[in-house]
Amino acid sequence: MISITGGNLLADGAGSQAENAAATSASTTTGTAVDAPRAIMPDRPEVDMPALASARQTRLRTVVDDLDLDALVMLTAAGVQYASGYRSVGADLYASHQMAAVLTRDDCWLICPAGDSAAAADAGIRLDRIVPFGTFFFESVDESPLSTDVGRHPTLDAALRFVVGAIGSRDMRWGVEGLAPGHAVGDRVTLVDATAAIGRICARKLPGEVELIRYAARLTEAAMASAVEAATEGATEKEVADHVAAGMVAGGGSPRFIVAGTGPRSALSDSFATRRSWQRGEVLRLDAGCVVDGYWSDLGRTVVLGEPSQVQLVRYEALLAGQDAAFEALRPGVTGRELFEAAVRTVNGHGLPYRRQHCGHGIGLEIYEAPMVSPAGDTAIDVGTTLCIETPYYELGWAGMMVEDTVLVTDAGFQRLNLTDRRLWVALP
């Protein structure tokens, strides 16, 4: 595990007092700038993924009971993983990829493209509960139904209608995540939009989910710290981003995005790293995320190479104060809108004209989950919710700055899941 002391990322025992104090506090030290931390990769937690999948199903079945449904249908890749435990490679590759999990009070069916079926069986889904659709060819030494039963269901809706018949003969009510016009599963099923109810359940993370989100966050910040530690004057954005990615991979994470903008390019929000070199006195804005067993990280840090200017210090202090204000307001029952307003009001109060569309979001099996920390975030935030709280600032022609951290909402308020110092990082040229 890792903890923060005096601006350095140090090896420490699991659950130590130093770690808990750092993770719980909104700010680990005082002042605006700090030497960039040294990096120690965190230990990967041991999470029983089949047990976690079973616990998620138990959670979802409360929606079945609460809405008086016969089944839930999950149509997003994250929803399918939440319900069935199956994580699809194809869902990451193809925008047109379709999949569904049908969860009843005592069963779970996976409907997937035929090309997913073998991987789903290998992941532990029962063969008689995998319903492939479309055409894909596997050969098999033992005449597996995955190789012999090809093209039985041409479309996702055809496969859904098969599951309707397999579940029973009476009329049913199914709750659907992501219900859209055009889904046709037969006259015997009434479809109900259960997206909001499912979202509320998924927002409250189970302990195993928290461990994976925590690890992904700490892995990301350690990779960032390692990249900054290795960078010297003249290092390119691409070299920094490659170093971050290598750190994520070394810790078992799958890099998903790495923004490493320097100088004026740091103001470009989301942009690919280039061969532009980092020069003394310039900002490096890092915004990166990886995935560990399906769970996302999303963190942001700002670094200056050499002595920061007064303008850089004053502006970053305003952004940090805005994040602090959101932390101070964070407690069970608060709304995302209230957190947003606290952050924006505070940054403006520090003399930096500040406009934002959001200052954070839920995170889990998707990088952007409910609730949103935004003007539209009127839902009360529950204990167990994991959030990214951020205050980015982008001024074209000057630079961009940000601070973004991941927190768990607790009965007492919140716990920060990542550990590095939130102040402006200063790197040696």
Side-chain angles (χ1 to χ4, degrees), residues 20 22-27 323-324 326-332 385 387 389 405-417 422:
N20 291 336
T24 302
S25 63
S27 182
Q323 192 196 40
D324 275 336
F327 283 150
E328 290 166 6
L330 184 54
R331 62 190 181 278
T385 302
L387 294 167
I389 303 294
D405 293 80
T406 304
V407 299
L408 169 70
V409 180
T410 66
D411 289 321
F414 74 97
Q415 181 187 66
R416 190 158 65 101
L417 298 183
R422 298 183 300 114

Side-chain angles (χ1 to χ4, degrees), residues 140-217:
S140 174
V141 297
D142 59 359
E143 295 188 351
S144 165
L146 301 180
S147 65
T148 59
D149 192 9
V150 176
R152 179 178 178 186
H153 307 293
T155 65
L156 172 70
D157 282 348
L160 279 167
R161 287 192 291 272
F162 170 80
V163 174
V164 169
I167 289 177
S169 57
R170 63 184 180 83
D171 291 346
M172 292 179 283
R173 277 170 46 92
W174 285 11
V176 183
E177 174 216 33
L179 180 63
H183 285 301
V185 297
D187 295 337
R188 291 180 32 240
V189 177
T190 300
L191 299 181
V192 177
D193 189 353
T195 306
I198 291 169
R200 286 191 293 272
I201 289 294
C202 295
R204 301 197 304 270
K205 300 300 186 287
L206 293 155
E209 295 182 286
V210 173
E211 285 304 307
L212 291 169
I213 295 167
R214 187 198 318 270
Y215 176 72

Side-chain angles (χ1 to χ4, degrees), residues 69-86:
L69 303 171
D70 295 286
L72 282 179
V73 184
M74 314 292 277
L75 292 172
T76 65
V80 168
Q81 182 178 357
Y82 196 97
S84 71
Y86 175 61

Side-chain angles (χ1 to χ4, degrees), residues 386-409:
T386 45
L387 294 167
C388 291
I389 303 294
E390 59 181 308
T391 47
Y393 175 74
Y394 311 110
E395 184 171 316
L396 299 175
W398 179 69
M401 291 181 150
M402 74 182 305
V403 55
E404 180 175 15
D405 293 80
T406 304
V407 299
L408 169 70
V409 180

Side-chain angles (χ1 to χ4, degrees), residues 32 34 123 136 178 180 193 223 238 252 260 277 279 327 331 349 391 415 424:
T32 304
V34 65
F136 189 93
D193 189 353
K238 184 72 164 56
S277 60
Q279 300 301 318
F327 283 150
R331 62 190 181 278
T391 47
Q415 181 187 66
L424 181 66

